[in-house]
Amino acid sequence: MIGTYLLKLALLLPLVCGLLVACLWAWRKLEQKLPGNQGTRMIAVKESMMVSPGLRLAVIEFEGRKLLVSVGRGGVNLVDRIEADRG
């Protein structure tokens, strides 16, 4: 009776611990890709909007500036830039 319990414990405990470690690793990797969590990066995508099926506008913040760029099949083009609000 006790022997089967210890055998199950010896087999299942490492399995559960391995699953826990794998889930925490996956969460850490996926958390960086979430849109609302930019962390301490120097570049942050503040907003993006699909204009047409092949064209998207995006606001990117970099070193106190906000850049409006268009992203399409032909590449990325700077549309406008402004200084970020300070205050």
Side-chain angles (χ1 to χ4, degrees):
M1 186 79 161
I2 277 281
T4 58
Y5 172 74
L6 290 176
L7 182 61
K8 287 180 184 178
L9 182 66
L11 292 175
L12 293 177
L13 187 61
L15 178 67
V16 170
C17 290
L19 286 173
L20 177 67
V21 169
C23 287
L24 289 174
W25 177 82
W27 174 258
R28 194 169 141 207
K29 289 293 182 184
L30 293 174
E31 186 180 26
Q32 297 171 355
K33 297 179 181 179
L34 292 175
N37 185 14
Q38 295 288 334
T40 58
R41 295 182 176 186
M42 292 179 61
I43 298 173
V45 178
K46 292 300 184 178
E47 188 175 346
S48 68
M49 183 176 75
M50 185 70 80
V51 178
S52 67
L55 184 65
R56 176 181 297 270
L57 288 176
V59 176
I60 300 172
E61 189 172 30
F62 174 70
E63 289 189 357
R65 286 182 241 136
K66 289 185 180 174
L67 309 170
L68 178 64
V69 296
S70 66
V71 182
R73 292 186 183 112
V76 179
N77 296 313
L78 180 65
V79 176
D80 195 11
R81 81 177 76 169
I82 61 169
E83 293 293 322
D85 296 334
R86 299 180 196 255

